[in-house]
Amino acid sequence: MQRTNLRIIFCAFSIFVLQSSANIEPKTDPNILEDAKLDTFSLIRKYGYPCEIHRIYTEDKYILEVHRVPHGRNETSGGKRPVVFLQHGLLSSSAEWVLMSPGKGLAYILADSGYDVWMGNARGNTYSRNHVSLKPTSSAFWKFSWHEIGYYDLPAMIDYTLAETGEQKIQYIGFSQGTTVFWVMTSMRTEYNDKIVAMHGLAPIAFVGNIRSPLIKALAPFTNSLERIFKILGRNEVLSNGKINELAGQSFCIEEAVTQVICTNLLFLICGFNEDQLNATMLPVVLGHTPAGASTRQLVHFGQLYKSKKFVQFDHGWITNKKIYGSFKPPAYDLSNIRTPVFLHYADNDWLSTPPDVDQLSREIKSVFGKFRVPFSKFNHLDFVFAIDAKKLIYDRLLNIMAQFI
Ligand SMILES: *[C@@H]1O[C@H](CO)[C@@H](O)[C@H](O)[C@H]1NC(C)=O
Ligand SMILES: *[C@@H]1O[C@H](CO)[C@@H](O)[C@H](O)[C@H]1NC(C)=O
């Protein structure tokens, strides 16, 4: 507990320093600084890949932006390609798949391997902050958890992708919360099992009872008060793409800056530690795009899962639960409804998607076809998308599995 407290203080201090140090002279590769500022579309175009932006309306009237890389760099359009849909993690966006540049970022690797790549953006993040009638400045806009992302956003984006490409079924890759929302969708709207030919879960999250992240463990006891505190503060949104990203992208996390250690520690504090696989030169780019915003309810909902050790719907308190669910406790997601072939990829040093929790998940989903440990013991949560050797350690295997479904 002592050490945990110290770490929180350190974390709070880091954020404070980050926010109050706008005037450090940038001294890093201008190319890196540019990448830190470009949005997903411009970043993809900068590296010579085709990119399209699609706007999609959900049943409950959120407007989402989906990014598509229809083919690889040296190919022309036309001809049918297998379609893959990518869904990002918590506090992130479609940028996650392209930040590491061609040859490293998963979206580029897939496009160059012959896939038509679609990348979703969950409501509330940098690219999906629109609604037909609600303003993102109103708290009504932010009344959602990842439950709604899985129940409304994913089905809307997948149906759109199917219609646009004329496919019956597509492959799905989710990272972290990008897997959680898939479990929500396929357990509650079971017809979507038939629209996905194979699901590939990177650092899958459903049961989180064994989380090792000190920051999350320290905050968890306050889960229920957290939402109330945020409400009083008038904050329905956490860590939007704004000041922190801007500063980090500009100057703060550059190589050889004394302050870089703070950048890395902030990330590691939440997600686990592996300096070996983190390319420090790329930190400004990562922090220029992450965090990309989420509702406080998304965090509170994960906190509830940690406390209950169950994979259940949002706990509104027993009176509201009774009204909404007909029971005093929130119902569990019925994972036995999932029929899509599932492949899980996990790592020993992942503080959020821990081996025992992934084990439990793979027992409860009946259609798990394969469970793969990353063959590198220090591999952590963020390494699944940012590691220097991600291609060698995961993506090559992922491509082999995917080829079986074409
Ligand atoms: C693909 O395009 C890039 C950039 O235009 C070029 O440098 C590279 O040589 C091309 N690769 C192949 C295999 O044609
Ligand atoms: C780290 O990123 C920089 C900039 O993209 C790149 O030049 C360098 O080769 C990368 N290092 C490793 C070990 O991949």
Side-chain angles (χ1 to χ4, degrees):
M1 198 56 202
Q2 276 290 319
R3 282 187 59 180
T4 309
N5 282 339
L6 274 177
R7 283 178 175 171
I8 293 176
I9 292 165
F10 177 69
C11 180
F13 171 74
S14 311
I15 292 172
F16 169 77
V17 176
L18 263 176
Q19 297 214 349
S20 57
S21 59
N23 301 323
I24 296 173
E25 195 60 35
K27 176 189 150 256
T28 198
D29 183 351
N31 190 46
I32 297 277
L33 292 179
E34 183 179 69
D35 284 8
K37 286 179 197 152
L38 292 178
D39 61 16
T40 303
F41 174 83
S42 313
L43 198 54
I44 293 171
R45 295 302 297 263
K46 174 180 164 182
Y47 287 102
Y49 286 75
C51 185
E52 297 170 6
I53 296 176
H54 296 263
R55 294 225 160 67
I56 290 161
Y57 290 72
T58 70
E59 262 171 64
D60 57 346
K61 309 266 191 306
Y62 282 82
I63 304 166
L64 313 175
E65 192 170 302
V66 166
H67 299 127
R68 177 192 195 187
V69 183
H71 56 82
R73 181 150 52 172
N74 294 352
E75 290 146 291
T76 47
S77 49
K80 254 194 157 0
R81 296 163 161 270
V83 179
V84 58
F85 187 90
L86 274 50
Q87 185 59 30
H88 62 79
L90 180 68
L91 290 166
S92 189
S93 73
S94 57
E96 184 169 275
W97 310 108
V98 293
L99 291 184
M100 289 298 129
S101 67
K104 298 234 166 98
L106 183 55
Y108 295 125
I109 291 174
L110 289 167
D112 285 330
S113 306
Y115 288 91
D116 175 1
V117 183
W118 292 72
M119 297 175 281
N121 278 301
R123 60 183 63 191
N125 87 2
T126 315
Y127 302 104
S128 295
R129 300 167 69 87
N130 284 299
H131 186 276
V132 168
S133 56
L134 302 172
K135 295 245 173 318
T137 45
S138 73
S139 62
F141 180 93
W142 295 100
K143 272 213 165 85
F144 63 82
S145 155
W146 38 262
H147 173 87
E148 284 74 16
I149 296 171
Y151 196 88
Y152 296 112
D153 295 0
L154 265 197
M157 294 190 288
I158 286 167
D159 283 338
Y160 182 96
T161 304
L162 291 172
E164 195 75 4
T165 57
E167 294 287 318
Q168 301 283 314
K169 283 175 183 252
I170 56 176
Q171 302 209 48
Y172 181 100
I173 299 173
F175 166 60
S176 191
Q177 182 192 264
T179 70
T180 319
V181 295
F182 184 87
W183 318 135
V184 171
M185 175 179 75
T186 42
S187 66
M188 296 205 64
R189 305 182 73 167
T190 54
E191 68 275 22
Y192 282 87
N193 280 289
D194 304 320
K195 302 186 183 194
I196 306 294
V197 61
M199 188 281 188
H200 311 273
L202 309 179
I205 301 266
F207 302 99
V208 291
N210 290 294
I211 270 184
R212 286 159 61 204
S213 169
L215 184 63
I216 291 177
K217 282 171 92 159
L219 287 177
F222 309 109
T223 298
N224 288 336
S225 2
L226 214 59
E227 203 181 17
R228 247 172 299 146
I229 293 168
F230 277 123
K231 219 175 251 162
I232 292 165
L233 294 174
R235 296 293 297 268
N236 304 291
E237 186 193 4
V238 286
L239 300 171
S240 68
N241 194 278
K243 197 149 173 72
I244 291 184
N245 313 63
E246 219 175 276
L247 293 175
Q250 274 169 14
S251 57
F252 210 70
C253 301
I254 58 171
E255 240 168 343
E256 290 161 38
V258 198
T259 43
Q260 196 192 44
V261 67
I262 293 172
C263 291
T264 47
N265 273 299
L266 198 59
L267 280 180
F268 290 153
L269 197 62
I270 298 174
C271 299
F273 188 87
N274 176 19
E275 233 164 345
D276 294 6
Q277 284 295 320
L278 187 81
N279 186 345
T281 310
M282 297 300 283
L283 264 179
V285 184
V286 172
L287 294 167
H289 292 86
T290 339
S295 72
T296 52
R297 271 200 188 187
Q298 281 169 259
L299 299 189
V300 170
H301 198 171
F302 276 125
Q304 291 176 351
L305 297 190
Y306 174 71
K307 276 173 73 176
S308 71
K309 301 196 185 298
K310 292 184 180 132
F311 185 46
V312 294
Q313 294 195 42
F314 193 81
D315 189 347
H316 297 273
W318 63 273
I319 298 177
T320 314
N321 286 345
K322 183 78 182 152
K323 245 189 285 177
I324 297 176
Y325 307 125
S327 55
F328 293 122
K329 293 201 162 162
Y333 293 103
D334 188 354
L335 294 174
S336 69
N337 283 341
I338 299 175
R339 301 189 307 269
T340 304
V342 168
F343 298 85
L344 302 175
H345 301 259
Y346 72 101
D348 289 341
N349 191 37
D350 191 329
W351 288 2
L352 303 178
S353 168
T354 60
D357 287 336
V358 175
D359 238 12
Q360 186 181 355
L361 179 65
S362 76
R363 284 194 306 270
E364 301 211 4
I365 297 177
K366 303 297 174 233
S367 57
V368 172
F369 279 38
K371 177 165 158 280
F372 303 96
R373 177 184 162 275
V374 177
F376 184 75
S377 64
K378 285 197 208 158
F379 213 76
N380 79 2
H381 197 65
L382 290 175
D383 284 340
F384 280 90
V385 278
F386 298 143
I388 290 169
D389 296 320
K391 181 169 185 300
K392 194 178 78 193
L393 292 169
I394 323 169
Y395 301 160
D396 285 344
R397 176 152 63 190
L398 178 65
L399 285 167
N400 280 334
I401 299 170
M402 290 177 74
Q404 314 298 312
F405 291 90
I406 300 176

